[in-house]
Amino acid sequence: MVVGLVACGSSGSDTSDPATTAPGGAALAARLDELGTAVDAWSAADSIDEARLAAETAANLVVGPNGPGYGDRNGDGVVSGETVAGILPGLDGSPDGLAGALEDNPCVERDVLGGSWDEPAARWDEMNSAIAAWRPDANTMPTLASHPMRVVGWSTFTLDTDPAAADALHLAHEYAGHAALHVAISNDALAC
């Protein structure tokens, strides 16, 4: 099975990406749809390589080009999920996070942004610390208030899974199941 996720998002100055040209809530809704499609592909992957490709797409759609780890996370030479704007603000505070336009929506602020982004580097450090501390017997993802950040965590665990391990695809599917819950919560925040 070939997964067509490389074309998700847009690159460079391409402004035809509906998630970056639509107003406010429509832009975030479009990006969450893309994220949901990536997580669905990850969940249905027939191989660990397909799962890793979809996990890369999901993570890149959340962090955007100015976020931590953006790029070729699976090492295949292609940036899957390439986009001009992530769901969350960039490390440098650049106003490219699609959810930032809806920070006045209390549900988006709580569930998608997970609180204030006055110090974006500190917020991303929280995520990186939770990911680094995670173990199968010590789930640190619930410490992250932002549900899209949790998707990045589950994506990272999929990408870090040894592809040669007998249970690699099973683990990737399990992680995709967790990510799907966080995409659903993020979508629900838009309806608040």
Side-chain angles (χ1 to χ4, degrees), residues 4-123:
L5 294 172
V6 175
C8 287
S10 65
S11 63
S13 61
D14 180 3
T15 58
S16 63
D17 179 359
T20 59
T21 58
L28 182 56
R31 182 53 40 82
L32 288 172
D33 284 347
E34 287 180 276
L35 182 59
T37 298
V39 172
D40 288 347
W42 172 9
S43 182
D46 291 330
S47 72
I48 188 61
D49 289 338
E50 288 177 13
R52 294 180 70 204
L53 176 68
E56 175 183 302
T57 299
N60 283 336
L61 290 172
V62 171
V63 303
N66 295 314
Y70 179 82
D72 180 16
R73 293 170 178 257
N74 67 352
D76 69 355
V78 176
V79 176
S80 183
E82 186 175 5
T83 184
V84 296
I87 291 172
L88 300 174
L91 280 163
D92 59 359
S94 55
D96 62 353
L98 298 175
L102 300 174
E103 66 187 346
D104 292 338
N105 174 320
C107 297
V108 169
E109 195 272 337
R110 180 192 67 224
D111 294 332
V112 179
L113 291 166
S116 170
W117 279 81
D118 289 342
E119 296 182 34
R123 291 299 307 278

Side-chain angles (χ1 to χ4, degrees), residues 154-185:
W154 295 112
S155 297
T156 302
F157 308 144
T158 296
L159 289 159
D160 288 348
T161 298
D162 179 359
D167 63 346
L169 186 57
H170 170 76
L171 287 173
H173 288 157
E174 179 182 329
Y175 300 154
H178 290 287
L181 294 172
H182 301 297
V183 173
I185 291 168

